[in-house]
Amino acid sequence: MSFMRLTILASAVLTSLAGAAQAQTTLRIGIAEDPDILDPSIGRTYVGRIVFSAFCDKLFDIDEKLNIVPQLALSYETSADGKEMTIKLRPNVKFHDGEPLDAEAAKFSIERHMTLPTSFRKSELASVDHVEVVDPLTIKLVLKTPYSPLIAQLTDRSGMMVSPKAAKEAGDKFGLHPVCAGPYKFVERVQQDRMVFEKFADYWNKDNIHIDRVVFLPIVDATVRLANLKSGGLDLIERVLATDIKDARADPKLVLSTAPELGYQGLTINNGNDKTKGPLSQSAKVRQALSLSIDREAINQVVFNGEFTPGNQWVSPTHPYYQKAFPIPGRDIAKAKALLKEAGVSLPVTVDYMVPKGTEYEAVAQVVQSMAAEAGFDIKVRVVEFATTFKQAQAGEFQVFQINWSGRIDPDGNSYIFMRSKAPQNDGVYSNPEADKLMEDGRATSNVEERKAIYGKLTKILLDDLPIIYIYHRTLLIAHTKKLEGYRQMPDGLVRVVGLKFK
């Protein structure tokens, strides 16, 4: 489909939405993909988290400096032995269906995250043994073992509260009409087209809500997103291309906000669920050879104009938990070829390489394809619609899955769910008992130096096994019209709609 046709289609959708809401203020946000299901227990996409932030408040949130701040909860207290967390809830909070958010509702939400068969929150809350109601506005999380990242987990989907009444009535269809306790309530969703939300009159912080409606529009082509922002068809877009930074900054009608991301872009290797039993899944030396064939800084320069940060671990080189003893490797084709020879594989090594549709995703894949060819790899790049990639990944229908992780404030959130044996997002089905123990040890202590030492040992194992080959860390790039006031760039890249207003 041509650029012009995409622009016309996107503009037509935006114009119709604007015309339908002339009597109201409407914030139109262009997002890079269509999210998966809008159920905080089941959702697993970054773009889904952006949408959740408009309608599904959490127990806690973060601020610009990564401090944990109150949202639906007012405070928390952890027992001396680290095995109990008592949480005080905010009074007079209602769900979008009018039901009260009390201790019973909070208990229901957390237990739903823990027990729903399809929940991706299970590993995030695995240390929680049970939830107790202390009084109408107080709950207690009783843990099996101390779990230092727990409060960080409650600043994301594990801390999102859903209406017990609506969840029970909807069952596994809850994500089709979600009911939470956020600033906006769900109106409609048209797959691949739009998600519409309207202001919730009984929101606990309603004095800071100044816009009547929020509409999220999935527009995969970043150039089309920017074109619609520049023309006035959109008010805010996420994931501006690094190559469009100068253009966005030069436009007097736009504001570009940036911040280093918490996550990473990596190549997940199908270790334990590769039905073809290809060389990548069978040999660490082959995975190491693939890693050594990649010039991370060259990718940064060629695809991102040098705006991003090359990396080789699940946190960036500027992160406090980055292990400096294991620096980013330089490209070494000779060593990569030697490793393939030691592995005894036939050349070229053919690789099924799944990548989500998107300009930058595809550009990275093409550069990796070209680089790896010099070492003896024949990479078959397979471009798949974003939400479908997750279904295929879970089914093991890939050998390499190039995917971005948006990141969490605690390093456990960038590692455990992807590499712990049987963790729900361990799409490569990687399993190493020694690594499992270290990941559990990292959760059990809150002492920073002890955790760093633990993660140092874990890093060595993972860089030998390479269940994921880390490539780079993005710079968050969000642009909006100057008519929009009150936008704050958060390090998780999510768009907070509270406080936003039009001039």
Side-chain angles (χ1 to χ4, degrees):
M1 188 178 287
S2 69
F3 165 76
M4 185 60 69
R5 178 162 165 72
L6 281 167
T7 305
I8 291 169
L9 284 174
S11 297
V13 171
L14 297 166
T15 302
S16 67
L17 284 168
Q22 284 183 347
Q24 298 176 312
T25 52
T26 301
L27 174 64
R28 298 155 302 172
I29 300 176
I31 53 179
E33 298 106 11
D34 197 36
D36 56 350
I37 192 161
L38 297 180
D39 182 331
S41 293
I42 304 171
R44 60 172 290 186
T45 61
Y46 167 61
V47 73
R49 293 172 67 217
I50 293 176
V51 177
F52 279 128
S53 66
F55 78 96
C56 219
D57 276 6
K58 306 157 291 192
L59 291 173
F60 301 94
D61 200 3
I62 61 171
D63 65 14
E64 292 96 327
K65 296 182 179 179
L66 292 178
N67 296 309
I68 292 171
V69 296
Q71 196 168 67
L72 294 175
L74 292 176
S75 63
Y76 74 97
E77 184 177 338
T78 303
S79 62
D81 64 1
K83 295 183 69 173
E84 292 182 350
M85 177 182 285
T86 302
I87 299 173
K88 294 281 186 182
L89 300 173
R90 188 180 295 278
N92 304 314
V93 175
K94 290 183 180 180
F95 290 105
H96 298 147
D97 59 1
E99 293 293 303
L101 172 50
D102 54 16
E104 289 289 351
K107 179 177 187 288
F108 171 88
S109 291
I110 293 172
E111 288 178 343
R112 183 177 186 269
H113 291 321
M114 292 167 56
T115 61
L116 198 68
T118 52
S119 174
F120 283 109
R121 311 284 82 83
K122 288 180 180 179
S123 67
E124 298 166 5
L125 299 170
S127 66
V128 179
D129 184 74
H130 64 279
V131 185
E132 295 178 0
V133 172
V134 178
D135 63 43
L137 288 174
T138 308
I139 59 171
K140 181 187 291 184
L141 307 187
V142 181
L143 311 186
K144 303 167 189 172
T145 57
Y147 177 41
S148 59
L150 179 57
I151 186 64
Q153 298 289 12
L154 298 178
T155 68
D156 199 69
R157 286 166 293 196
S158 288
M160 290 181 185
M161 300 289 101
V162 302
S163 165
K165 179 183 177 183
K168 289 173 184 175
E169 289 177 354
D172 61 3
K173 303 288 194 297
F174 178 77
L176 301 179
H177 200 291
V179 179
C180 293
Y184 291 85
K185 62 182 180 180
F186 178 83
V187 176
E188 68 167 342
R189 178 179 188 179
V190 180
Q191 293 286 151
Q192 305 292 336
D193 184 74
R194 67 185 181 271
M195 285 148 284
V196 182
F197 299 84
E198 65 182 24
K199 183 165 64 175
F200 178 45
D202 291 327
Y203 181 54
W204 64 268
N205 193 16
K206 61 184 176 183
D207 290 345
N208 279 322
I209 304 302
H210 311 292
I211 295 170
D212 297 309
R213 289 165 72 89
V214 177
V215 180
F216 293 93
L217 295 131
I219 302 173
V220 175
D221 191 306
T223 306
V224 175
R225 286 200 304 279
L226 181 59
N228 277 289
L229 179 66
K230 290 165 75 72
S231 68
L234 290 170
D235 305 300
L236 183 149
I237 61 172
E238 56 106 9
R239 275 179 277 180
V240 174
L241 293 178
T243 49
D244 286 335
I245 288 176
K246 288 182 181 179
D247 187 18
R249 283 183 173 148
D251 192 318
K253 296 181 294 184
L254 302 184
V255 176
L256 181 69
S257 296
T258 68
E261 76 164 348
L262 298 170
Y264 63 81
Q265 173 83 45
L267 309 180
T268 297
I269 310 297
N270 190 344
N271 283 265
N273 197 22
D274 177 16
K275 300 172 181 64
T276 67
K277 301 295 182 185
L280 272 177
S281 65
Q282 303 303 303
S283 173
K285 288 182 178 180
V286 177
R287 297 191 289 274
Q288 290 164 10
L290 178 58
S291 178
L292 285 169
S293 74
I294 298 169
D295 187 330
R296 290 156 172 82
E297 180 55 38
I299 290 175
N300 182 37
Q301 295 297 331
V302 170
V303 183
F304 307 114
N305 281 359
E307 297 284 349
F308 289 2
T309 303
N312 69 323
Q313 298 175 29
W314 57 91
V315 294
S316 77
T318 60
H319 195 282
Y321 279 90
Y322 183 81
Q323 300 295 319
K324 295 180 180 178
F326 303 96
I328 299 167
R331 188 178 191 228
D332 192 335
I333 291 296
K335 188 173 181 182
K337 289 181 175 179
L339 284 167
L340 291 178
K341 187 175 182 179
E342 289 175 25
V345 297
S346 300
L347 299 182
V349 176
T350 303
V351 177
D352 170 55
Y353 186 116
M354 180 170 67
V355 60
K357 185 174 177 58
T359 303
E360 289 182 337
Y361 286 135
E362 294 173 51
V364 171
Q366 289 161 7
V367 176
V368 170
Q369 180 186 48
S370 176
M371 289 176 170
E374 294 181 34
F377 290 93
D378 178 18
I379 289 181
K380 309 291 189 184
V381 175
R382 181 165 53 90
V383 180
V384 179
E385 187 275 324
F386 181 73
T388 305
T389 62
F390 291 98
K391 296 175 184 176
Q392 294 193 9
Q394 284 181 270
E397 296 170 5
F398 72 101
Q399 291 179 322
V400 171
F401 179 20
Q402 179 189 303
I403 188 63
N404 186 77
W405 173 243
S406 54
R408 300 294 182 269
I409 61 175
D410 189 280
D412 174 86
N414 284 5
S415 53
Y416 190 100
I417 58 173
F418 302 108
M419 292 174 288
R420 175 67 166 83
S421 298
K422 299 181 180 179
Q425 295 190 53
N426 184 350
D427 294 326
V429 193
Y430 171 68
S431 182
N432 182 315
E434 190 178 354
D436 288 349
K437 182 180 185 305
L438 288 167
M439 283 184 269
E440 297 295 346
D441 291 346
R443 289 182 152 197
T445 178
S446 57
N447 182 285
V448 173
E449 292 308 314
E450 288 180 10
R451 293 188 86 199
K452 282 184 178 178
I454 291 166
Y455 287 132
K457 295 175 184 176
L458 179 62
T459 300
K460 185 179 187 310
I461 293 171
L462 296 177
L463 291 182
D464 285 340
D465 288 352
L466 283 180
I468 298 175
I469 298 173
Y470 303 97
I471 304 176
Y472 63 85
H473 308 271
R474 298 177 305 171
T475 298
L476 299 168
L477 299 168
I478 293 180
H480 63 82
T481 171
K482 279 190 175 176
K483 294 179 182 178
L484 186 67
E485 296 181 321
Y487 180 74
R488 298 183 300 149
Q489 180 64 61
M490 294 297 188
D492 59 9
L494 308 187
V495 178
R496 271 53 169 198
V497 293
V498 174
L500 296 182
K501 63 174 71 173
F502 288 108
K503 290 182 182 179

